Amino acid sequence: MAALSRPRNGRMIGGVCAALARRFGISAATMRLIFLASCLLPGPQFLLYLALWVFLPAEKSATTAW
């Protein structure tokens, strides 16, 4: 399994679904559909997404500006 970090490429909003998809070895589109379907159920899915967006580190870039 890959390390859990938000990728720089392939993300739509915050990269949380892309990070989870990469971690579990499924496509990002599938993970996004799973998230959207879960939003129809009662629970704190949106708050969990926001928390992961804040606390998951962004992927390190290959080049630096310095």
Side-chain angles (χ1 to χ4, degrees), residues 6-62:
R6 294 181 295 115
R8 295 203 178 271
N9 298 324
R11 61 176 159 181
M12 295 194 90
I13 298 174
V16 174
C17 288
L20 291 173
R22 187 172 59 182
R23 170 75 175 189
F24 294 115
I26 59 175
S27 73
T30 302
M31 184 57 73
R32 290 178 185 118
L33 284 174
I34 291 170
F35 174 73
L36 287 176
S38 76
C39 286
L40 298 175
L41 301 170
Q45 293 86 342
F46 187 70
L47 293 176
L48 179 63
Y49 185 92
L50 289 176
L52 287 173
W53 190 357
V54 169
F55 292 116
L56 279 181
E59 186 176 60
K60 303 273 190 226
S61 68

